[in-house]
Each structure stands twice: as C-alpha cells, then as structure tokens.
Amino acid sequence: MLTLLLPGSAKEPLPSPETGRLAEVARPRLRPWRVPAVLPSAGDALRVLEEHAETATLRHWAAVAAFARDLVRRGRVIPHLVMSRAVWRPVVTGADAAYFRELALAMPPACRTGEVERASAEVQAEALEVVTDAIVRETLTAPLLTKEAASPAERWLVALTGPDPACPDVPGLRAELERWHAAVTAAEGATRVCFRLIEPAQPAEAAEAAEAAEAADAGWRVELALQAVDDPSLYVPAATVWSGVTGLPGRPERDLLAGLGRAVRLYPELERALRVPEPGELALDTVGAFGFLRQAAPLLQAAGFGVQLPRWAGRTRLGLKLTTRTKKQPAAASQGFGMADLVNFRVDLAVGGETISEAELAELARLKVPLVRVRGQWVELDDRQLKAALRAVEGGRTGEASAADILRHVVQGGTTRSCRCWRWTPTGCSATCCRGRRSGGWPRWPRRPAWTRRCGRTRSGVSPG
C-alpha cells in the first residue's frame, strides 16, 4: 500500500478521466489516500510502457523512456557511484535539456503524486535516471571486466553490468565521478573526442592459415580525433587539430585535451598517448587491440565518446557451416519431396563465409592470440571457441538424415554452448541442420552443440545462408 496525495472530496478521490465518470465535487482538495500498488522493476516497467500506453500518465512515462533510449543510443550517459550502487546517469545538456523541460511542463499531475508534493522536474529527473540505468544494462550484455574483480574500484566496474548494482562505497572514486559528471554537464560543446581503431596493413603475400598473425602483433593504432556532435561525419584527426585548421567551432585544442583527460579515467592505457605535448594516436599490440574492442570501446561509447571500429568487429567469428543436399532420385521414381526423405549433410569450419581446414584451425590454436587474420579477415577468438570448434568436427563430418529429423532439431534447438555462430547453406530443395544419421546409425556428435534458430551471443544458432 502507498500513501498518495490525490484530489477529491472527503468521500473519495476524483476518478481518472479514462474511466468516463464525472467528478461529483466542485472544489476538490488534495487529501492523503492509501492506495494498493504494484512496484515493478525498471525493466518490467519499460516493457509495460511499450505494450500499454493508453492513459495520459503512461503516455508521458513512455515519452520519458523513449527520451532515455535516445540518450543511450547517442552515448549521452556516464557511470556513477551512488549509495553503494553502480549506476548509469544521463547527461542532459543543450537541446536535450530544453526537451527535458518541455516534458516536465507537460507532465500530468498524477505522474508526480506521492506522500508530499514534488516539482515535476524533480520527479522526472529521478525517473529518467532509473530508466536510463535499466536501458544501459539491457544494452551492455557483456561484462566490462573479464578478470576477477580484486579491488573495490574493479567491483564497481563489474556492477555496472548485470542485474545487481551493489558494490562497495569508495569515497575517493565517488568524488572523482562527481567531478566528472559536473565537468561533462558544464562543458557542453559542439564536439566530442572520438577514438578510431585502425588495424595493421594487410601483407602483400598471404600465408596458408593465419597469415602474418605473429608479425601483425604490432601495428594496431587507436587514432584520436574530434567529432561534431550534431554531424558525426565531420571527423577531424588530432594531427589536424594541432595544425590549427579544423573547421570546428570553439577551441578544438582545448576540447581535445579536456576530453582525453576525462577518457583516461575509463581507459587507463590512454595515458601512454598523453605523455607527448600533442597526442595523436595510441600504439597497441594484438592483445591491447582485443582489450580495446571488448572492454574500452563499449565503456567509452556509453560515456558519450565517439568510437569507430572496423567493419568486421563483432561480426566475423569462428563458426560452423552446415550444407545439406537432397538425394538424387530417378525421374521415373520421383514423386516430389517429403518429410521422411533423406538428405545428405556436411559440416565444415568457417570464418565468415569462408571454409577453413582443421589444419588451419590447429594453426590458430597454436598462435594463442585473440585476434588473427584468416584469409584476409580478422577474427576474434578465445580458447573456448577454439576447443568447441575442434570438438565439433572431430567425429564424422558428413552423413544423412530425414528432413523431419532436421526440422525437429532446428525447432527444438539445444542448450549446449559452443561456437559463436553457424552458417546454413542450402544446395537442394530442402536445407537445414540436424544431428544426422549415417547408414551405421547416428554419427558421433554427442559433444557437438545442438542447433537453434537463433544465433545468440553465447549459444550456437542457425541462420540461413
């Protein structure tokens, strides 16, 4: 039960306009009422607003949630520490601040009812922070720290993702984050610092498997630049900023240095680039580039910085390619294709759309680096992926199964976690994936992941080729 101040008479509060009932009191007064209520989590509240926004109050909160999603999409959020909780706070400045004020003025009175009267802007700011934190946690599905958290600051970093925001209160960190938030909200400008990951140049001659992976351990760079907030296509590298010819408003040199000073709190490796008077880039090895992809880039982008990654980032991964083909039948005996008919299948290792051999996979495992170039494509790897891929092809790679078995395994799927994705290539009138059956019985696939329709982040899946 909640105690709410609601307008009405001594007998009852005024009915909601959506009920169609007319008010029976001419001069309603605010009175406290005990009201049964359900307190959903922020995630559940967001789903309700997406599905049921029929009343004026729900429509207003749906508009606030849409505003929060837009802020998150544009990276207008920063991490914070509040009352032993790791949270994400929105950065509302400039045009966003004007829109926030318009929303607050349009807030229905019922949205801010409580035990005491509160200003609409105060209520809306509190709601916006809660909704923004929930949306960022939905977006950041991978942890920001892959190793086990040892210090209180690392435990705060871990608590920024996942459902539990609880973490130790670190007064020094909290004060630093407060200063950061104050600097971000006060230093509203037309530009932001942008980080662009540049891969090593492709070698002239390709090797058989992981071409020049050992030689490419150096050559990765993070280019520093300024980017226009309203027009992201206006991208000015730091070297051009230091030359004094940028076409950007304000004082670009000061904005660049101030932004880099804020970014180094999230990406400590950047400190190496700031040891020179005019920083322009950060040199990385392969492990450093992988760390930037997996940890620094999401954190910087969520904090409002621009981040540009290669096109293959997050897309080109090691997986399995399944090819199915209908069995040939004589023209006289052919009566169409049925669910009981057998189809041939073949499973291959693949990177993107390219099939690779087991020898090439073994070479990738030997190199033990998280980023390798395979046939001109950079691939993100980890030990779990490599071991799962080797297990998946250690048995028979070809066989046959009925179309019904294939479709059943596609629909039912499985729960075994393994390779990042699957690729399905149809070559006959029926094509899908299955556990398979050879003339001598089921093939040796007990440790191979079952297939599902969906190609998830941690589950294997199937997608049409």
Side-chain angles (χ1 to χ4, degrees):
M1 299 288 287
L2 294 178
T3 301
L4 304 178
L5 284 176
L6 298 174
S9 63
K11 180 181 178 181
E12 63 177 0
L14 292 178
S16 299
E18 288 79 13
T19 63
R21 291 177 54 195
L22 297 177
E24 298 179 358
V25 56
R27 296 181 179 180
R29 294 177 55 188
L30 285 177
R31 301 174 185 272
W33 293 90
R34 297 280 288 172
V35 179
V38 176
L39 300 178
S41 65
D44 292 338
L46 285 171
R47 285 186 286 274
V48 170
L49 292 175
E50 290 177 356
E51 299 171 2
H52 306 284
E54 294 89 0
T55 66
T57 53
L58 290 179
R59 283 194 296 270
H60 180 83
W61 293 128
V64 173
F67 181 40
R69 289 191 183 280
D70 183 60
L71 291 173
V72 173
R73 180 186 61 81
R74 292 186 286 117
R76 304 292 291 170
V77 293
I78 61 172
H80 211 275
L81 177 60
V82 180
M83 302 287 291
S84 299
R85 295 174 63 251
V87 298
W88 293 90
R89 297 182 65 182
V91 177
V92 182
T93 55
D96 293 330
Y99 180 67
F100 177 89
R101 289 191 293 270
E102 292 175 0
L103 271 180
L105 290 174
M107 176 184 288
C111 288
R112 55 188 176 91
T113 184
E115 288 192 75
V116 295
E117 275 197 276
R118 298 171 63 192
S120 58
E122 179 185 349
V123 174
Q124 184 169 281
E126 184 177 318
L128 183 63
E129 292 199 355
V130 172
V131 172
T132 300
D133 180 72
I135 294 173
V136 174
R137 291 178 185 277
E138 287 181 359
T139 306
L140 295 179
T141 55
L144 298 178
L145 188 69
T146 55
K147 65 178 182 179
E148 185 177 356
S151 65
E154 290 180 343
R155 291 174 63 184
W156 166 77
L157 194 61
V158 170
L160 285 172
T161 58
D164 185 11
C167 66
D169 186 26
V170 185
L173 176 62
R174 178 160 37 83
E176 189 73 12
L177 291 171
E178 286 284 0
R179 287 193 292 269
W180 181 23
H181 184 266
V184 169
T185 54
E188 171 63 15
T191 60
R192 65 178 179 179
V193 174
C194 184
F195 301 87
R196 180 187 177 197
L197 181 64
I198 301 176
E199 62 193 81
Q202 185 170 346
E205 297 182 0
E208 284 292 329
E211 55 189 42
E214 294 165 295
D217 190 53
W220 292 91
R221 296 181 297 126
V222 174
E223 184 182 67
L224 312 178
L226 277 181
Q227 186 180 42
V229 174
D230 296 333
D231 183 11
S233 63
L234 183 53
Y235 175 93
V236 182
T240 306
V241 173
W242 301 125
S243 70
V245 182
T246 64
L248 295 173
R251 299 175 59 184
E253 298 90 345
R254 183 195 63 182
D255 295 341
L256 178 60
L257 286 177
L260 293 174
R262 294 192 298 270
V264 76
R265 298 167 179 163
L266 299 176
Y267 185 34
E269 191 73 14
L270 184 62
E271 191 270 336
R272 292 192 292 109
L274 302 183
R275 295 173 184 172
V276 297
E278 298 180 351
E281 65 180 25
L282 173 65
L284 298 172
D285 56 12
T286 303
V287 175
F290 185 73
F292 182 83
L293 278 172
R294 287 290 182 90
Q295 300 177 22
L299 193 57
L300 289 168
Q301 192 167 30
F305 295 95
V307 176
Q308 295 185 6
L309 302 176
R311 301 180 103 184
W312 49 262
R315 300 179 183 178
T316 306
R317 298 183 183 274
L318 182 65
L320 298 178
K321 178 180 179 181
L322 179 72
T323 304
T324 61
R325 184 186 299 274
T326 54
K327 299 174 69 72
K328 293 184 178 180
Q329 298 182 4
S334 178
Q335 297 181 352
F337 183 82
M339 297 298 291
D341 291 338
L342 297 178
V343 296
N344 296 322
F345 68 84
R346 177 179 175 83
V347 177
D348 295 290
L349 294 164
V351 173
E354 295 290 333
T355 301
I356 62 175
S357 66
E358 292 183 58
E360 290 175 311
L361 181 64
E363 176 66 9
L364 296 180
R366 182 191 70 81
L367 293 172
K368 294 183 178 179
V369 290
L371 286 172
V372 293
R373 180 181 274 151
V374 180
R375 298 186 182 178
Q377 299 185 74
W378 283 98
V379 185
E380 300 175 48
L381 295 178
D382 56 40
D383 290 338
R384 184 175 58 85
Q385 270 191 330
L386 288 171
K387 291 176 181 178
L390 288 170
R391 286 198 306 267
V393 296
E394 65 183 6
R397 300 174 66 173
T398 61
E400 64 181 28
S402 68
D405 287 338
I406 290 173
L407 291 176
R408 181 170 62 252
H409 285 286
V410 170
V411 173
Q412 293 178 352
T415 58
T416 305
R417 299 189 175 192
S418 183
C419 296
R420 189 72 171 187
C421 67
W422 297 73
R423 186 170 181 81
W424 166 34
T425 304
T427 56
C429 64
S430 174
T432 173
C433 48
C434 68
R435 214 173 271 235
R437 180 170 58 197
R438 294 183 292 189
S439 57
W442 290 99
R444 289 180 57 230
W445 286 12
R447 287 173 290 178
R448 182 175 303 165
W451 298 293
T452 63
R453 283 186 184 277
R454 181 177 164 205
C455 194
R457 292 182 179 271
T458 54
R459 289 185 57 180
S460 58
V462 179
S463 59

